[in-house]
Amino acid sequence: ASRALVVVVLSLLYLCRAIFSSEYFSPLTLFNNELSKQGCSSLSEWEEYASECGKSSILQLEDPACEEGSSSSCESVFSLNAEKILNQARLFIEQKKIPFPVANHNVNEELAIGYVLIGNGLYDEAIKHFSLLLQILSPLGRISEALADLSKAIQLQPSARLYRHRGTLLFISEDYVAAMEDFQQSLELKKNQPIAMLYKGLTFFHRGLLKEAIETFKEALKLKSDFIDAYKSLGQAYRELGDFESAMESFQRALLLDQNHIQSLQLRGMMLYHHGSLQEAIGNFKRCLQLEPYNEVCQYMKGLSHVAMGQFYEGIKAQTKVMLNAPLLGQKASSEYLKVKYLREYSRYLHSHLDVPVAEYNVDQDLPGNFKNHWAKNLPFLIEDYEEQPGLQPHIKDVLPQNFDSYSSEVQKLICTADHLGALMQYDTPGFLPNARIHRAMGLATVEVMQAMHRTWSNSKVRVHGKTRQMQWRDMFDIAVKWRRIADPDQPVLWLDQMPARSLSRGFNNHINLIRGQIINIRYLAYFDSILDFIKDRILVYHGAYNPRGLLEVRQALENVNKVEDLLPIMKQFNSKTRDGFTVNSKVPSMRDPGKEYDGFTITITGDRVGNMLFSVETQTTEERTQQYQSEVESIYKDLTAKGKALMLSTELGDADAVCNLILSLVYYFCNLMPLSRGSSVVAYSVVMGAVMASGKEVIGRIPKGKLVDFEAMTTPSPDSFSQMAKSWMNLKSLPSWYQSLPSVTETFPSTRTMIEVLNTDSSSHCPRKS
């Protein structure tokens, strides 16, 4: 079986063009794909109705003589259909032509189908076929045996091909450093290998080394100028870097070479969605589905895009198609299949509330507790006694396109102001793609927070969840939450303390992997050094308390540590309790009760060696911890309201500064609590900007490169230091008087329909561009 797997893997890796970008695709065999595409549910049905099912399933296959790295184009020389593939595979078995057959007849048949596909040049289908087979065989531990066989072969007679094959197996095992070294060895022995160069780039990509990946993909394109998968991978690397224009150009080049390249259409569509360009995204997903009707990702994203634009009939129809595409026996369910039931139920809920004033209902109270809990935790939809949301009601029409010119000049100015304010919240950090839709939504949230706080400080009441009353701290954040929800219905932005009591009592973890194995989370790379320093300090405090005699030795050892990965061996050396890992906890000081501290976040480092470690940060939202933080927030908000009211009657600059400090202190505790299932950071910053504007100050500055609002709050030792640091980048100036004359956001966009309309509206040729 070991040698059979070697053959499987080598055949796959020698001829494949993009195995490692196939994570977005369900690994179905070609034959099952052909059956489903032609409406046949079984092999017997295929044989019985071959003339009906098979007459149009002709696949163009490339010349098997085409070599990797060849600069000459490989034209299609003949065609083959799925029935012939199966017949050829059976013939292979009967004639005993399969290399290294195994005892299991079913595995032999799967191997034979794969060899037929490869022999006829149908590489992409072979990739999918072998991927499924690898899923079955990998748990048996066969890859390590295959690696051992290859290593022996390399010792006997090293070659570019053997290094490439071993490198790809190491890639599958997520040992990206060793894989990169093997691809480099292969390229030194044989330079003209665009596929090996592509894989080398992918090892950098998966380690978060995006700039190195981009340079390597460009090298692959120098070797093969029409290398579609290199352009596609280059586009994905630029997308992860947050460079939308360069990513678009790369995907465009891939599609110029092959307008039917499904992966490029799919990836470009997903990027357009996350850039806020929903209509353009839908065009890509539609084209993708014309070429591959069973593509779950394109189907799911098409449904999501329609719902986000308020086109519920098309959206839910696409979602239902994903729901019907249940995984085959033994096949792992796709993430889209797992998510789609939640999206469909939430879509129905949004549709039924499309014309209800947002101030009259409450998402967190309306949605069932177990539904919210499962959705936020991304669990399979297995909810007992769940009652589905009402189906689409014909009298509620879809959201119609809104022309920018149809808004009054005052509302147009409000929209342009929101676009500008939202852009100031954009993170200049790898992993964060600019999203114009999010910018507008959170810009409008900022203005609405400003107006609501101004009314509150002027002793006016607000309408919240069907009641008129004085605004509380949660109401202020709920303004931003409602805009964040409507901008992207795919993400559950929910209050964790509104989850079922049982879920909260167990603790609701917000978990972020910073390093997993060799995979680095590039979003938080700028914080690795400060977290490392924090861990060192905590280790010294621990040893000072429990092992003061060895403190000097520990301090000297820590001075030589420059990477998080090197901490674990030192901890094992000096602390007998450290086996496979250790944790470090941060503390958050109280303003309300000086000297008191709350639990902050927990840093966990586990693993038995470098390259096999987990470095993560998490906050555990328990009921007790939530109450502690909320009492702190309520105390600050009470003080903020009093000082805000005094500010309305004063022109003293010191009063405005005190108000600003209180606002930032309140957000400091909000970010450390992490009370939302998603979106805490942008919600917090829009509240900061809006409340600061209510105090008479305008935010001019942008968030500095590498800075993240929530992580700044979590890694800063006190609310005062957080306030000083945040004000330094916000660059506060006096608020221009015209802000006071902007229309009321609450009254202008009172319902979900009007909110979606304004987010859909194109203002690109109307709003002045600001640097």
Side-chain angles (χ1 to χ4, degrees), residues 432-505:
F432 290 94
L433 191 71
N435 188 324
R437 193 176 182 88
I438 296 288
H439 289 172
R440 179 171 297 173
M442 304 322 293
L444 287 166
T446 297
V447 177
E448 189 170 354
V449 167
M450 177 194 77
Q451 294 170 342
M453 293 301 290
H454 202 276
R455 286 198 304 274
T456 298
W457 294 344
S458 301
N459 287 317
S460 296
K461 295 182 178 180
V462 293
R463 183 77 176 171
V464 183
H465 305 326
K467 297 178 181 178
T468 302
R469 54 175 168 77
Q470 288 289 327
M471 188 167 75
Q472 302 301 312
W473 72 267
R474 192 188 294 260
D475 305 328
M476 178 174 64
F477 282 95
D478 258 333
I479 291 170
V481 167
K482 74 171 181 180
W483 282 103
R484 179 63 183 80
R485 279 174 179 156
I486 210 68
D488 183 7
D490 190 40
Q491 296 190 350
V493 184
L494 301 164
W495 289 96
L496 298 183
D497 66 347
Q498 301 295 306
M499 294 290 176
R502 186 177 63 177
S503 173
L504 199 59
S505 65

Side-chain angles (χ1 to χ4, degrees), residues 689-749:
M689 289 179 63
V692 165
M693 286 163 59
S695 74
K697 297 290 184 180
E698 182 184 18
V699 177
I700 302 294
R702 294 179 180 271
I703 300 170
K705 187 178 181 67
K707 298 284 188 182
L708 308 176
V709 173
D710 52 352
F711 253 61
E712 285 299 314
M714 291 164 65
T715 56
T716 304
S718 70
D720 286 342
S721 53
F722 174 71
S723 296
Q724 294 305 314
M725 181 269 309
K727 283 192 292 185
S728 70
W729 83 50
M730 290 165 70
N731 191 14
L732 300 176
K733 305 292 183 184
S734 294
L735 188 73
S737 57
W738 58 263
Y739 270 95
Q740 306 302 328
S741 62
L742 289 173
S744 164
V745 176
T746 307
E747 295 173 5
T748 307
F749 310 112

Side-chain angles (χ1 to χ4, degrees), residues 108-180:
N108 284 336
E109 188 168 285
E110 293 288 346
L111 286 169
I113 291 172
Y115 294 135
V116 172
L117 294 171
I118 287 171
N120 289 293
L122 201 59
Y123 308 139
D124 288 333
E125 285 72 13
I127 291 167
K128 296 176 187 177
H129 182 87
F130 281 128
S131 294
L132 179 59
L133 200 54
L134 283 170
Q135 282 185 19
I136 297 167
L137 294 175
S138 292
L140 302 178
R142 304 302 187 189
I143 283 185
S144 60
E145 294 177 28
L147 280 168
D149 286 348
L150 279 168
S151 296
K152 288 176 184 176
I154 288 171
Q155 287 176 2
L156 292 170
Q157 188 174 356
S159 70
R161 182 174 299 180
L162 286 172
Y163 274 118
R164 186 176 64 249
H165 292 335
R166 190 175 70 176
T168 318
L169 274 183
L170 288 165
F171 193 112
I172 290 174
S173 305
E174 295 188 356
D175 190 348
Y176 300 117
V177 174
M180 188 276 292

Side-chain angles (χ1 to χ4, degrees), residues 341-485:
K341 187 72 180 289
Y342 297 106
L343 178 60
R344 190 177 76 156
E345 289 302 287
Y346 184 52
S347 300
R348 287 172 162 180
Y349 175 84
L350 285 177
H351 182 262
S352 65
H353 290 81
L354 203 52
D355 297 305
V356 180
V358 179
E360 302 300 318
Y361 64 93
N362 185 339
V363 173
D364 288 279
Q365 291 181 10
D366 293 346
L367 293 176
N370 283 337
F371 174 90
K372 293 187 299 175
N373 184 41
H374 280 63
W375 188 21
K377 292 179 178 177
N378 199 27
L379 299 173
F381 197 101
L382 301 171
I383 304 172
E384 292 182 7
D385 302 323
Y386 177 75
E387 186 176 336
E388 289 191 347
Q389 294 288 326
L392 296 187
Q393 300 161 50
H395 69 279
I396 302 175
K397 303 303 180 185
D398 274 351
V399 176
L400 297 174
Q402 190 80 357
N403 194 299
F404 187 82
D405 292 327
S406 66
Y407 290 111
S408 67
S409 58
E410 291 81 6
V411 174
Q412 290 180 7
K413 187 173 184 179
L414 172 62
I415 295 170
C416 293
T417 302
D419 289 349
H420 166 67
L421 293 172
L424 294 178
M425 302 180 203
Q426 177 63 42
Y427 286 148
D428 185 10
T429 301
F432 290 94
L433 191 71
N435 188 324
R437 193 176 182 88
I438 296 288
H439 289 172
R440 179 171 297 173
M442 304 322 293
L444 287 166
T446 297
V447 177
E448 189 170 354
V449 167
M450 177 194 77
Q451 294 170 342
M453 293 301 290
H454 202 276
R455 286 198 304 274
T456 298
W457 294 344
S458 301
N459 287 317
S460 296
K461 295 182 178 180
V462 293
R463 183 77 176 171
V464 183
H465 305 326
K467 297 178 181 178
T468 302
R469 54 175 168 77
Q470 288 289 327
M471 188 167 75
Q472 302 301 312
W473 72 267
R474 192 188 294 260
D475 305 328
M476 178 174 64
F477 282 95
D478 258 333
I479 291 170
V481 167
K482 74 171 181 180
W483 282 103
R484 179 63 183 80
R485 279 174 179 156

